[in-house]
Coordinates of all heavy atoms in Angstrom, one line a residue:
A273 N 75.6 -57.3 160.4 CA 76.9 -57.9 160.4 C 76.8 -59.3 160.8 O 77.8 -60.0 160.9 CB 77.8 -57.1 161.3
E274 N 75.6 -59.8 161.1 CA 75.5 -61.2 161.8 C 76.1 -62.3 160.9 O 76.9 -63.1 161.4 CB 74.0 -61.5 162.0 CG 73.9 -62.8 162.8 CD 72.4 -63.1 163.2 OE1 71.6 -62.1 162.9 OE2 72.2 -64.1 163.7
E275 N 75.9 -62.3 159.6 CA 76.4 -63.4 158.8 C 77.9 -63.3 158.5 O 78.5 -64.2 158.0 CB 75.7 -63.4 157.5 CG 76.0 -62.2 156.5 CD 75.2 -62.4 155.2 OE1 75.6 -63.3 154.5 OE2 74.5 -61.5 154.8
Y276 N 78.5 -62.2 159.0 CA 80.0 -62.1 158.8 C 80.8 -62.2 160.1 O 82.0 -62.0 160.2 CB 80.3 -60.7 158.2 CG 79.6 -60.5 156.9 CD1 78.5 -59.7 156.7 CD2 80.2 -61.1 155.7 CE1 77.9 -59.5 155.5 CE2 79.6 -60.9 154.5 CZ 78.4 -60.1 154.4 OH 77.8 -60.0 153.2
R277 N 80.1 -62.8 161.1 CA 80.8 -62.8 162.4 C 81.8 -63.9 162.6 O 82.4 -64.1 163.6 CB 79.8 -62.8 163.6 CG 79.0 -61.5 163.7 CD 78.4 -61.2 165.0 NE 77.7 -59.9 164.9 CZ 76.4 -59.8 165.0 NH1 75.6 -60.8 165.3 NH2 75.9 -58.6 164.9
H278 N 82.0 -64.7 161.5 CA 83.1 -65.6 161.5 C 84.4 -64.9 161.2 O 85.5 -65.4 161.4 CB 82.9 -66.7 160.4 CG 82.7 -66.1 159.0 ND1 81.4 -65.6 158.6 CD2 83.6 -65.8 158.0 CE1 81.6 -65.2 157.4 NE2 82.8 -65.2 157.0
L279 N 84.4 -63.6 160.8 CA 85.6 -62.8 160.6 C 86.1 -62.3 161.9 O 85.4 -62.0 162.8 CB 85.2 -61.6 159.7 CG 84.7 -61.9 158.3 CD1 84.2 -60.7 157.6 CD2 85.7 -62.7 157.5
T280 N 87.5 -62.1 161.9 CA 88.1 -61.5 163.1 C 88.9 -60.2 162.7 O 89.3 -60.1 161.5 CB 89.1 -62.5 163.8 OG1 90.1 -62.8 162.8 CG2 88.3 -63.7 164.2
W281 N 89.1 -59.3 163.6 CA 89.7 -58.1 163.3 C 90.9 -57.7 164.2 O 91.4 -56.6 164.3 CB 88.6 -56.9 163.5 CG 87.4 -57.2 162.7 CD1 86.3 -57.8 163.1 CD2 87.2 -56.9 161.3 NE1 85.4 -57.9 162.0 CE2 85.9 -57.4 160.9 CE3 88.0 -56.3 160.3 CZ2 85.4 -57.3 159.6 CZ3 87.5 -56.2 159.0 CH2 86.3 -56.7 158.7
D282 N 91.5 -58.7 164.9 CA 92.6 -58.5 165.8 C 93.8 -57.9 165.1 O 94.4 -57.0 165.6 CB 93.0 -59.8 166.5 CG 91.9 -60.4 167.4 OD1 90.9 -59.7 167.7 OD2 92.0 -61.6 167.7
K283 N 94.1 -58.4 163.9 CA 95.3 -57.9 163.2 C 95.0 -56.4 162.8 O 96.0 -55.6 163.0 CB 95.4 -58.7 161.9 CG 96.6 -58.3 161.1 CD 96.7 -59.2 159.8 CE 97.9 -58.7 158.9 NZ 98.0 -59.5 157.7
E284 N 93.9 -56.1 162.3 CA 93.6 -54.7 161.9 C 93.7 -53.7 163.1 O 94.3 -52.6 163.0 CB 92.3 -54.6 161.2 CG 92.2 -55.3 159.8 CD 91.9 -56.7 159.8 OE1 91.9 -57.3 161.0 OE2 91.7 -57.3 158.8
L285 N 93.1 -54.2 164.2 CA 93.1 -53.3 165.4 C 94.6 -53.1 165.9 O 95.0 -52.0 166.2 CB 92.3 -53.9 166.4 CG 92.1 -53.1 167.8 CD1 91.6 -51.6 167.5 CD2 91.2 -53.8 168.8
Q286 N 95.3 -54.2 165.9 CA 96.7 -54.1 166.3 C 97.5 -53.2 165.4 O 98.4 -52.4 165.9 CB 97.3 -55.5 166.4 CG 98.8 -55.5 166.9 CD 98.9 -55.0 168.3 OE1 98.0 -55.2 169.1 NE2 100.0 -54.4 168.6
E287 N 97.3 -53.3 164.1 CA 98.0 -52.4 163.2 C 97.7 -50.9 163.4 O 98.6 -50.1 163.3 CB 97.7 -52.8 161.8 CG 98.4 -54.1 161.3 CD 97.9 -54.6 159.9 OE1 96.9 -54.0 159.4 OE2 98.5 -55.5 159.4
A288 N 96.4 -50.7 163.7 CA 96.0 -49.3 164.0 C 96.7 -48.8 165.3 O 97.1 -47.6 165.4 CB 94.5 -49.2 164.1

Side-chain angles (χ1 to χ4, degrees):
E274 184 175 359
E275 68 175 299
Y276 299 102
R277 292 204 180 115
H278 55 276
L279 301 173
T280 61
W281 305 96
D282 296 344
K283 179 182 177 182
E284 289 85 353
L285 181 58
Q286 182 61 35
E287 289 174 348

